[in-house]
Structure formats: C-alpha cells, structure tokens
Amino acid sequence: MIKVLYFGGQKSGKSQLAQDRALAISNEKKPYYIATYDNSFGDLQMQQRIDNHQDSRGDSFITIEESRHLNSVISSGHTYLIDCMSMWILNTISWSQDEVLQELETLSKCDANILFVLNEVGSGVIPIDKVSREFVDRTGIVGQKLTSICDEVYEVKFGLGVRLK
C-alpha cells in the first residue's frame, strides 16, 4: 500500500493528477473519494467548485463525505483520495496540534492506498488575523507531516506534477 501527496496552488491540477493516480492503483476496485469540505456555510461559489469536482470524477469513485475524522472511514485494502487536506485543516482548526498530528500518524499506519491533496498557502505574506495565521501555520506543519509519512510527494503547477520524493 502506498501514501502519496499532491500539493500546489489553487487550480494547479492537483486533484486531477490525484484522481488519475487513484484510478491507476486501485487494482480494479472502485476507489473512494473522501470529500472534506463542510458544506454547511451556504457558499454558492464553493458549491460550484464541488459540482465541478463531482463532474470531473463522474461515477469512477465512491464518494464519502467526512470533514473531520478521516480514520473513521478508511478500511484496509482499498484506495482513498482525500480532497482536500486544506479543508480538513480548516475543519479541525479547533483541535490541538497534537490531535491533528495524531490523526495523520494513524492514517500513515492504515493498510490502504491513500492519496492526499493539499493547497500550498505558505508562500505569501503573514496573515493579519489570528485564525488565518493559525491556518497557514497549521498547513505548513501538516504538509511537513504528510511528506514524512508519504512514499511519494508531488508539487503540482499548471497540471504538471514534479516528484520531490
């Protein structure tokens, strides 16, 4: 079983590359797509993004909506694409850093193929408000943890993935 991270900026092509890879390694079983967005905010623009993602994967995946407890939906021997870890970070911002890292550590031990998608947000200025700073900092910490537990890491720009690990 393999763990893979795809990271990059918004609309970089991360999800498409991760979807293609999940389908390629799923061993003729339909892979699972874990959607992490908490769609309780009534954001119409985000709903359009969700619709676009659903359209792009069609019926090639079994979709599971889980915004926080990722370990609770993963079973051995299957392939999972978690899209996206950035939304998961936002959903778990009230968790301690240790709780977040423990969830990731538990995921690393799952006997399943897991592909992670993460937005790169740490290249800009330091945000002015506390929650945004916490999100950017947490994203960097989660990214470092994911790179340590993943067998492969790809930086994605304009639909091209460059393998870093």
Side-chain angles (χ1 to χ4, degrees):
M1 297 286 135
I2 190 169
K3 310 294 186 281
V4 183
L5 171 63
Y6 292 89
F7 77 93
Q10 286 181 212
K11 299 296 182 191
S12 62
K14 306 176 298 293
S15 294
Q16 188 60 57
L17 290 178
Q19 286 176 32
D20 293 346
R21 183 70 183 281
L23 291 167
I25 65 172
S26 62
N27 297 325
E28 298 182 16
K29 294 180 190 176
K30 193 179 270 195
Y32 292 88
Y33 186 102
I34 302 176
T36 60
Y37 183 66
D38 179 354
N39 198 18
S40 63
F41 303 107
D43 184 331
L44 295 177
Q45 185 182 41
M46 281 302 290
Q47 184 59 53
Q48 184 60 53
R49 287 175 178 248
I50 292 167
D51 293 345
N52 291 342
H53 272 265
Q54 290 171 340
D55 290 344
S56 76
R57 64 181 184 266
D59 65 352
S60 299
F61 288 80
I62 299 167
T63 301
I64 300 170
E65 294 184 12
E66 179 53 54
S67 60
R68 288 174 182 78
H69 302 284
L70 302 175
N71 290 303
S72 70
V73 297
I74 293 182
S75 301
S76 295
H78 295 283
T79 297
Y80 297 87
L81 183 139
I82 303 174
D83 198 358
C84 95
M85 294 303 291
S86 300
M87 288 294 116
W88 178 78
I89 292 167
L90 184 61
N91 297 334
T92 59
I93 201 76
S94 64
W95 293 11
S96 73
Q97 182 172 307
D98 288 341
E99 289 172 303
V100 167
L101 294 175
Q102 182 56 54
E103 181 84 3
L104 297 176
E105 187 64 31
T106 303
L107 282 173
S108 76
K109 293 180 172 80
C110 292
D111 185 29
N113 295 317
I114 305 176
L115 295 90
F116 301 93
V117 174
L118 177 69
N119 286 316
E120 168 56 61
V121 298
S123 297
V125 298
I126 297 172
I128 195 165
D129 66 281
K130 181 180 178 182
V131 174
S132 297
R133 280 191 307 273
E134 176 66 24
F135 175 77
V136 171
D137 289 350
R138 181 77 51 99
T139 298
I141 291 164
V142 166
Q144 290 181 56
K145 181 65 174 177
L146 288 173
T147 61
S148 75
I149 67 173
C150 285
D151 304 293
E152 299 175 15
V153 176
Y154 295 88
E155 181 177 20
V156 181
K157 292 182 181 183
F158 307 114
L160 299 173
V162 175
R163 186 172 177 171
L164 302 178
K165 177 181 176 185

